[in-house]
Amino acid sequence: MAHEGEQVVWLDEVAAEDIGAVGGKNASLGELLANLGDAGVEVPPGFATTVEAYWAYVEANELAPVMQEQLGALERGERQLADVGRALRAAFTAGTWPEAAEAAIRDAYAELARRQGVDEASVAVRSSATAEDLPDASFAGQQETFLNVSGADALLDAARRCYASLFTDRAIEYRRARDFDHFKVGLSVGVQAMVRADLGSAGVIFTLDPETGFDRVVVIDAVWGLGESLVQGSVDPDAYQVYKPLLDDPERVPIIDSKCGSKEAKLVYGERGIVRVETTAAERSAFVLDEADVLTLARWACAIEEHYGRPMDIEWARDGETGRLYVVQARPETVQSRQKAGQFSVHRLTEKGHRLTRGTSVGTRIVSGRVCRLDSPRDVGLFAEGAVLVTASTDPDWGPILKRAAAIVTDHGGRTSHAAIVARELGLPAVVGCGDATRTLRDGQEVTVSCAEGDTGFVYEGALTYEEEEIHLEELPETRTRVMLNLANPAAAFQWWRLPADGVGLARMEFVVNDHVRIHPMALVRFDELEDEEAKARIAAMTSAYEDKKTYFVEQLAQGLARIAAVLHPRPVIVRMSDFKTNEYANLIGGTAFEPEEENPMLGFRGASRYYAPAYREGFALECQAIKRLRERMGFANVIVMIPFCRTVAEAQQVLEVMAEHGLERGRDGLEVYMMCEIPANVVLAEEFAPHFDGFSIGSNDLTQLTLGVDRDAGNLAALFDEQDPAVRWMIRTAIEGAHAAGIKVGLCGQAPSDHPDFAAFLVELGIDSMSVTPDSFVSVKQHVAAAEAQRRGASQG
């Protein structure tokens, strides 16, 4: 704790309650140093000037009257913001240090060097304001940081410039917008031993998903070189996600997402300060962090979050000379942690449009507006209120423009770039890291920015129609019948974590392969045999971070499914093995070489018949390896496997044998295997199929198609495709009765309960165990099921 009259205090002597003495940033660093060492969290040592030293500097240089004059003129409209900021910064940098403060800083710097065993320490000099890093205000990038500062004179100069940065245009405007009194905000300067991230790497950690608020993941971004490139949004980083509840098990590796960013450049120290240099081909293709690094940072983040008792926003760095990882800053997360837990809004596009560009999605909203392309924040006069800002990247100088924008679209940056951070705080949708937005989008063009489709955000041509729904979860009733979710897109899964669903009744593997993996598994198994040079080049580029190309498929598929499994863990998640048709498989990269052309793919080489066939058996082996990795190595034992389109009992036996060969033996380690009940033969022979499975899931779409002989995709027969047809209802009733007679569970995963309340009542009357529906219809189906159960109870009591 800092005492009255102290000009300097060591960071390990301050704590979180000392914000008034050393500012938010330094108080947090002191709290980490003093309390997180036992958890293994490494924090660079250092000291801080006190806020008392700041006010002594202001008094010694008679700066208070200057502040009053300049800021008063700004409030009265007599002077412009830029002129006021320039005058105040000049006054602060021209000041001289009071004798006591200068001596204290020089002595502390010498002591820090002695502790490091060097004559002249290299240090990071950071601003820490008393109104900074608060639970309800991020003050992102408002004050300056100076890195790789050497020598006492240089340190004193950097500290003076930190004081001046309290009056950058953006800092002044930020305080004015939030009614912070300029004369009640003091500044401390933190001085830490320099972590040579310029020779190593750096990044940012959130202890929840910053887009959806999903609080059971740690999100990590990583770049080569200094972390400032992340804030600038000038580099597309590596991105990792770790599932918190499984982190304590040393046998598990719960990394549920790892994306290798392009990382085209890095920031390093040059002779004249920080410079941007291109990364090498090896750096661009390699992951910045290995598994052990990711798990270490995730565990540190969880320890920090537990200590503070709230979600946190953390900066980390790796020293390239020593290889050691450090936490260099920790502050409260200020957006998602303030959201109300019991309600959320869902945005949905109600029409399709032409996609102009795509990038990383920030937020979950949709807006339409006209494009305003800007190269510099100096062009603020050209920006129209409510326009869609399109630019290469943003930094804190863009603040006044961002506050007037309807949405933000950038060429560069990831989820922790400046544009992303500010977009969340302002509640704006943003699509960042598009790569080509400034080339593709025309000034004045009307567009729709959609961040409601998962991790990937899209910019569409024109003003598309969309709807918004407010959902109040506390009003949902309890039901005996389990109501589960159909999920397919790992990128969108986290949107639905607040829904009180009973699990995932259908996770479609082929959707994950199509959107997340994108490469045909056999093209990876037989890569050297590929004759399509274009496909071969694309595969080589996509798998460059993997020594074995097959590992790419296994890891990416396992991680994609893990994101779905994590949403409702430990509740059951039923993963259907791949059910592409041959024409759909052929659309995967490298797929045309391995798929036959069929007249009727819907009734062709699909589902169970592929899994033991020589043409795909090695591909199915990779699917099994992904499930094994998901359940055993990552720890998602809540995953149930489901076999689609199983035509005969003999085929069921054959598939189970092949699965067992690849380590997925039914019953071993609690593995349950379900069957899709979607072919009339499955219904007719339900009691013969049942001994080989732990449950059935009725696929009402295919069952309707095959019962009525109607192609569900044939527009001219659409009126005949009816899941409520008496013949289809007979099939469903018979399947449920057959499953229950055999003593196994049965559910339904189809659209009918979503579309027809009376169909949900029909299923309840038959005593079905579960229904699995699309997330956007979950609330209405839950209500229909509750009403049907109440009516059934009333009838039995009457």
Side-chain angles (χ1 to χ4, degrees):
M1 172 178 280
H3 300 288
E4 187 174 346
E6 280 188 305
Q7 305 290 303
V8 166
V9 61
W10 290 92
L11 287 174
D12 57 8
E13 296 174 358
V14 299
E17 61 266 23
D18 293 318
I19 289 178
V22 294
K25 191 176 298 178
N26 287 334
S28 179
L29 288 169
E31 186 77 11
L32 294 175
L33 278 163
N35 296 284
L36 275 300
D38 290 344
V41 179
E42 297 265 11
V43 180
F47 61 90
T49 66
T50 62
V51 172
E52 191 169 337
Y54 167 78
W55 290 116
Y57 185 92
V58 169
E59 183 178 354
N61 292 282
E62 299 181 346
L63 293 170
V66 180
M67 294 164 60
Q68 289 172 338
E69 177 192 345
Q70 294 290 335
L71 294 169
L74 177 64
E75 294 304 322
R76 294 189 298 271
E78 297 168 4
R79 299 201 68 187
Q80 296 297 313
L81 174 63
D83 297 328
V84 168
R86 192 180 305 111
L88 288 173
R89 292 192 298 274
F92 269 84
T93 53
T96 57
W97 283 99
E99 185 176 330
E102 180 173 348
I105 293 170
R106 287 184 182 274
D107 288 346
Y109 176 70
E111 174 61 17
L112 181 62
R114 188 191 66 77
R115 293 182 184 184
Q116 290 186 280
V118 296
D119 294 331
E120 196 170 73
S122 175
V123 294
V125 184
R126 304 178 190 277
S127 306
S128 178
T130 55
E132 184 177 48
D133 296 345
L134 303 177
D136 58 353
S138 72
F139 280 75
Q142 296 306 312
Q143 278 78 53
E144 298 291 352
T145 291
F146 302 96
L147 302 174
N148 207 31
V149 176
S150 296
D153 290 342
L155 169 58
L156 288 164
D157 182 59
R160 191 184 287 113
R161 286 188 286 160
C162 283
Y163 286 171
S165 74
L166 199 55
F167 297 96
T168 59
D169 296 356
R170 58 183 180 264
I172 295 170
E173 185 60 29
Y174 195 91
R175 290 193 297 272
R176 290 177 72 202
R178 285 156 180 77
D179 292 326
F180 281 94
D181 188 334
H182 301 286
F183 292 91
K184 291 183 180 178
V185 177
L187 193 125
S188 164
V189 178
V191 181
Q192 284 180 286
M194 188 65 213
V195 178
R196 291 304 302 268
D198 62 310
L199 304 176
S201 55
V204 176
I205 307 172
F206 287 102
T207 61
L208 47 56
D209 177 49
E211 310 313 329
T212 65
F214 183 44
D215 59 4
R216 296 193 289 279
V217 289
V218 173
V219 176
I220 304 172
D221 279 3
V223 294
W224 298 116
L226 301 173
E228 278 67 20
S229 62
L230 270 175
V231 176
Q232 293 175 6
S234 60
V235 173
D236 298 316
D238 289 352
Y240 312 85
Q241 294 178 352
V242 185
Y243 188 59
K244 293 180 193 174
L246 298 175
L247 256 178
D248 291 337
D249 188 340
E251 302 297 317
R252 306 299 177 211
V253 182
I255 300 172
I256 64 173
D257 197 26
S258 55
K259 290 189 177 72
C260 189
S262 54
K263 306 180 297 291
E264 304 95 337
K266 62 182 178 179
L267 296 180
V268 300
Y269 301 129
E271 292 182 2
R272 298 183 179 180
I274 296 174
V275 295
R276 176 185 169 97
V277 299
E278 288 189 4
T279 47
T280 65
E283 287 174 322
R284 290 193 293 274
S285 63
F287 281 106
V288 171
L289 299 171
D290 61 23
E291 277 187 353
D293 296 330
V294 173
L295 294 177
T296 294
L297 290 173
R299 291 187 176 112
W300 287 3
C302 288
I304 294 169
E305 179 181 54
E306 183 177 0
H307 176 75
Y308 279 89
R310 59 176 300 115
M312 298 295 289
D313 172 359
I314 301 162
E315 293 180 22
W316 64 270
R318 183 202 287 281
D319 192 304
E321 293 180 332
T322 66
R324 294 176 66 178
L325 289 167
Y326 294 92
V327 167
V328 295
Q329 193 174 136
R331 62 174 74 88
E333 193 275 341
T334 60
V335 179
Q336 286 295 342
S337 54
R338 300 205 306 263
Q339 299 296 316
K340 292 182 180 178
Q343 68 180 73
F344 65 102
S345 62
V346 178
H347 284 227
R348 286 183 290 266
L349 283 172
T350 54
E351 66 173 310
K352 294 182 178 180
H354 173 60
R355 289 177 178 173
L356 299 172
T357 188
R358 67 173 65 192
T360 299
S361 174
V362 178
T364 58
R365 295 180 56 214
I366 302 171
V367 302
S368 297
R370 294 197 177 276
V371 168
C372 183
R373 283 177 45 194
L374 296 181
D375 296 324
S376 166
R378 292 188 297 272
D379 299 327
V380 60
L382 302 176
F383 192 80
E385 188 85 24
V388 175
L389 173 65
V390 177
T391 190
S393 63
T394 71
D395 60 32
D397 290 330
W398 287 83
I401 294 176
L402 298 181
K403 287 190 296 186
R404 297 166 54 197
I408 306 167
V409 182
T410 67
D411 285 340
H412 307 295
R415 66 166 69 89
T416 52
S417 64
H418 176 267
I421 292 170
V422 174
R424 290 187 202 101
E425 186 164 332
L426 296 176
L428 302 177
V431 181
V432 300
C434 298
D436 62 353
T438 55
R439 297 194 308 273
T440 305
L441 305 178
R442 303 187 313 275
D443 201 49
Q445 180 180 19
E446 191 162 41
V447 297
T448 298
V449 178
S450 171
C451 295
E453 299 168 71
D455 278 356
T456 302
F458 301 97
V459 181
Y460 295 94
E461 188 172 27
L464 304 184
T465 58
Y466 62 92
E467 60 186 13
E468 180 179 3
E469 179 185 4
E470 289 286 340
I471 298 177
H472 299 271
L473 302 178
E474 67 277 3
E475 300 172 2
L476 290 180
E478 296 286 333
T479 60
R480 179 205 65 82
T481 308
R482 291 185 300 169
V483 182
M484 307 172 79
L485 301 180
N486 294 339
L487 294 178
N489 184 358
F494 289 177
Q495 291 184 54
W496 310 108
W497 72 275
R498 289 188 174 93
L499 291 180
D502 295 306
V504 176
L506 177 61
R508 300 177 177 93
M509 181 182 286
E510 65 273 10
F511 279 66
V512 180
V513 172
N514 190 63
D515 296 337
H516 204 68
V517 182
R518 299 168 56 205
I519 302 173
H520 195 291
M522 294 303 295
L524 296 166
V525 171
R526 301 180 186 171
F527 177 76
D528 293 337
E529 302 173 23
L530 278 178
E531 296 179 0
D532 184 338
E533 293 301 326
E534 182 182 349
K536 203 167 185 178
R538 290 180 68 190
I539 293 170
M542 293 171 66
T543 60
S544 60
Y546 298 83
E547 289 186 20
D548 182 346
K549 289 179 169 43
K550 296 190 292 293
T551 303
Y552 167 85
F553 184 91
V554 173
E555 184 172 298
Q556 291 297 309
L557 178 55
Q559 289 183 353
L561 291 170
R563 296 192 66 192
I564 294 173
V567 173
L568 296 171
H569 180 272
R571 284 161 281 182
V573 171
I574 303 171
V575 174
R576 187 178 71 188
M577 305 302 278
S578 67
D579 192 25
F580 277 128
K581 289 73 177 173
T582 50
N583 58 323
E584 295 168 334
Y585 261 119
N587 288 331
L588 295 172
I589 299 170
T592 53
F594 301 98
E595 297 299 330
E597 290 190 15
E598 296 182 306
E599 288 292 330
N600 189 352
M602 188 69 76
L603 295 178
F605 188 41
R606 62 175 287 200
S609 62
R610 295 183 69 97
Y611 304 158
Y612 55 85
Y616 190 73
R617 191 178 182 121
E618 292 168 287
F620 184 64
L622 299 185
E623 293 184 23
C624 291
Q625 288 174 36
I627 294 292
K628 187 174 173 65
R629 180 186 182 99
L630 176 66
R631 283 178 49 86
E632 298 177 12
R633 190 160 190 267
M634 300 172 77
F636 290 99
N638 59 322
V639 166
I640 296 167
V641 172
M642 184 156 65
I643 305 302
F645 225 77
C646 188
R647 292 172 168 95
T648 69
V649 174
E651 187 168 67
Q653 294 172 312
Q654 198 165 359
V655 168
L656 290 172
E657 289 170 5
V658 173
M659 287 175 58
E661 290 174 14
H662 298 300
L664 294 181
E665 183 179 347
R666 180 186 168 214
R668 183 179 176 184
D669 297 324
L671 175 63
E672 293 187 4
V673 181
Y674 283 25
M675 181 190 77
M676 286 290 292
C677 185
E678 55 192 336
I679 302 170
N682 301 149
V683 177
V684 173
L685 299 178
E687 294 190 46
E688 281 79 4
F689 277 101
H692 302 286
F693 297 98
D694 299 286
F696 290 164
S697 181
I698 300 169
S700 59
N701 290 340
D702 268 358
L703 188 59
T704 300
Q705 174 177 244
L706 296 173
T707 298
L708 299 179
V710 174
D711 183 346
R712 67 189 191 195
D713 294 330
N716 58 343
L717 299 177
L720 295 175
F721 186 89
D722 182 8
E723 292 167 298
Q724 301 242 63
D725 186 275
V728 179
R729 285 198 173 211
W730 183 91
M731 284 285 184
I732 292 171
R733 178 185 297 108
T734 304
I736 294 172
E737 292 171 351
H740 285 163
I744 66 171
K745 292 167 283 191
V746 59
L748 182 139
C749 51
Q751 191 61 28
S754 305
D755 295 340
H756 309 290
D758 59 329
F759 195 86
F762 164 69
L763 295 174
V764 168
E765 184 64 31
L766 294 174
I768 199 165
D769 297 298
S770 65
M771 303 177 205
S772 191
V773 298
T774 56
D776 58 346
S777 62
F778 172 84
V779 171
S780 60
V781 172
K782 189 79 169 172
Q783 292 167 336
H784 297 329
V785 169
E789 289 181 351
Q791 186 174 8
R792 190 182 186 193
R793 285 194 300 271
S796 63
Q797 292 168 0

